Amino acid sequence: MNLNPLKNLFKLNKSKVKNETNFIGRTSIGLSNPGKFMGLDLHSDTYASAYPSIRAISNEYMTVLPKAIDGNGKPVKSNILDALYHPNQLDSVVSFNEKIATSTLVLPKTYLLVWRNEGGEAKPGAPFGFKGRNIAGFTILENPGISRRDGKTYYNVGSQVFTEDEVMVLPGGVDPNDLYGGYAPTVSACRWITLDDYIADFQKGFFENNAIPAGMFKIAAATPTEFEDIVTNLNRRHKGAGNNNNVTYSHAPVDPATGKVAEAKIEWIPFQQSNKDIDFKSLFEQANRRIDQAYGVSAFIKGVDDAPNYATAQVSEANFAKRAVLPLLTRNYAQLTHELNRITGGMGIAITFDYEIPAVADQDKVVAETHVIHANLINS
């Protein structure tokens, strides 16, 4: 898996992943690899910038439950559907859906290992039986090593190896330069998320440095020891947000012979640009606007109610459902059906969902008025 598009967003920490650790199993998620997501240590501050948009979509996504239908579109029972509702020992269908939504929003590809029922015991990998009758559950493969040989893809995790016949792949999107390489909204938003992170880091450092602009103390000292003592005293008085507005005294010696005041021992030289001179508001709003565009989540959906009213709330909810959540649901469930058919040779069913776009009252009113006009035209 190519991680280069994410190198500025995530820090890959290989030192904490041991090759001999077994990440596979119905208890693998949350136990063998706690605190990790697909083998990547997310930079907490960076992920926090993307989290409001990811949270909004994943929260909506996880409430949409799967269903199985036959060729006529009628709901049917299926052991595969049962497996989706009970994917593994640690995940309910809701938490599993949340992980899939989050993964496909962040990573170019999400890998799902399929489990089989063998004599009442769940085991990873094939065979899955006729039409997938032995499928027992699913787990997310975290940070698999991927290789291609003899015309087949292999997924290596720890000491275990699985083939493309046992692993399903859900792409996060399409990269025009690598149509089958996968993509994700977070890759698109990476640059602006990083900028938002830099703004937060700058402000954090600003307040940690006594909430004053950057600058330099010019210190006149007779010896290096005296210089170090003055620096230590200045740090003690001013360094840290809790030491703001402190007073510093600088001795300006007087020449006894001439009575003239000599240069002070401490002189503050501020740098040219202060914090208030930087237009952070416009920069912050632009960064957030570009992040919102990448995920299709408006500020209102993320909980920012600057100018709330009933009409705008309805439009925001409808746009969010239609342009952010529904496409993700459609792609993931269609790909899930395709992948299940691929590894089983055909299930005879399709995995789908029911999701209703919220209605907009003004739109319903216009539609109703149009029907009345048409009826009057027909009557006349």
Side-chain angles (χ1 to χ4, degrees):
M1 180 174 59
N2 182 15
L3 297 177
N4 288 334
L6 300 176
K7 63 182 179 181
N8 293 325
L9 182 61
F10 303 122
K11 299 185 299 183
L12 181 60
N13 190 341
K14 296 182 179 179
S15 61
K16 296 183 180 179
V17 181
K18 298 180 179 179
N19 291 332
E20 65 270 17
T21 302
N22 179 11
F23 294 142
I24 305 302
R26 294 173 67 90
T27 61
S28 64
I29 297 179
L31 286 183
S32 299
N33 202 15
K36 292 184 183 295
F37 187 76
M38 296 296 287
L40 295 171
D41 283 335
L42 301 191
H43 189 302
S44 59
D45 293 337
T46 303
Y47 184 66
S49 298
Y51 178 73
S53 296
I54 296 174
R55 172 193 55 80
I57 298 176
S58 62
N59 282 357
E60 184 81 3
Y61 184 103
M62 68 183 183
T63 63
V64 181
L65 303 181
K67 70 175 185 179
I69 59 173
D70 60 16
N72 297 320
K74 295 182 179 180
V76 294
K77 293 182 178 180
S78 170
N79 67 293
I80 298 176
L81 184 64
D82 292 340
L84 287 171
Y85 273 84
H86 308 89
N88 53 68
Q89 290 181 349
L90 295 185
D91 285 317
S92 66
V93 60
V94 173
S95 62
F96 192 67
N97 281 353
E98 182 182 21
K99 287 181 175 67
I100 290 179
T102 302
S103 178
T104 51
L105 287 171
V106 173
L107 300 174
K109 288 185 178 181
T110 298
Y111 304 95
L112 301 179
L113 174 65
V114 184
W115 289 66
R116 70 181 185 275
N117 186 344
E118 187 175 300
E121 182 180 355
K123 294 184 179 181
F128 302 118
F130 179 69
K131 293 186 176 181
R133 290 176 181 175
N134 294 334
I135 290 179
F138 308 91
T139 52
I140 297 177
L141 278 184
E142 300 178 273
N143 194 30
I146 303 174
S147 60
R148 182 82 178 173
R149 58 183 185 271
D150 300 328
K152 182 169 288 191
T153 303
Y154 293 85
Y155 301 89
N156 190 44
V157 182
S159 61
Q160 295 177 294
V161 179
F162 302 97
T163 71
E164 61 185 23
D165 299 326
E166 303 164 307
V167 176
M168 300 187 297
V169 182
L170 303 181
V174 178
D175 184 349
N177 298 315
D178 186 4
L179 294 177
Y180 295 96
Y183 200 71
T186 303
V187 179
S188 171
C190 180
R191 176 176 298 181
W192 294 97
I193 291 173
T194 304
L195 178 60
D196 184 79
D197 192 22
Y198 286 161
I199 294 174
D201 286 343
F202 183 91
Q203 292 297 315
K204 180 175 179 287
F206 177 77
F207 283 99
E208 285 180 346
N209 189 38
N210 190 28
I212 59 177
M216 177 179 67
F217 281 112
K218 181 180 178 181
I219 301 173
T223 64
T225 302
E226 183 183 357
F227 173 80
E228 294 295 340
D229 290 341
I230 294 174
V231 171
T232 300
N233 187 53
L234 289 173
N235 283 334
R236 181 175 59 84
R237 285 179 172 270
H238 291 282
K239 194 170 184 179
N243 291 328
N244 58 319
N245 296 323
N246 275 350
V247 177
T248 296
Y249 300 95
S250 178
H251 175 58
V254 178
D255 189 343
T258 62
K260 293 183 179 180
V261 179
E263 183 179 352
K265 284 193 173 185
I266 301 174
E267 182 183 356
W268 168 250
I269 304 175
F271 291 165
Q272 185 174 3
Q273 193 173 39
S274 66
N275 186 66
K276 68 178 181 180
D277 297 326
I278 304 176
D279 188 10
F280 279 113
K281 184 175 185 294
S282 298
L283 192 60
F284 178 77
E285 289 178 350
Q286 175 66 8
N288 275 274
R289 189 177 298 113
R290 292 299 299 267
I291 294 172
D292 293 346
Q293 290 172 353
Y295 293 98
V297 181
S298 66
F300 177 83
I301 298 299
K302 294 191 294 185
V304 182
D305 300 336
D306 288 337
N309 61 69
Y310 188 69
T312 57
Q314 284 189 319
V315 173
S316 294
E317 291 284 354
N319 286 339
F320 171 66
K322 183 177 181 179
R323 294 177 172 83
V325 181
L326 182 60
L328 184 64
L329 285 166
T330 303
R331 184 178 69 239
N332 282 356
Y333 278 104
Q335 185 68 16
L336 184 66
T337 299
H338 168 76
E339 290 290 278
L340 285 169
N341 281 327
R342 179 180 62 80
I343 66 175
T344 61
M347 301 180 293
I349 61 170
I351 305 298
T352 184
F353 61 94
D354 290 325
Y355 184 62
E356 185 175 352
I357 304 298
V360 178
D362 289 343
Q363 181 181 0
D364 291 343
K365 179 182 177 182
V366 171
V367 172
E369 290 174 347
T370 303
H371 289 329
V372 171
I373 294 174
H374 288 168
N376 291 337
L377 288 174
I378 293 173
N379 290 333
S380 62

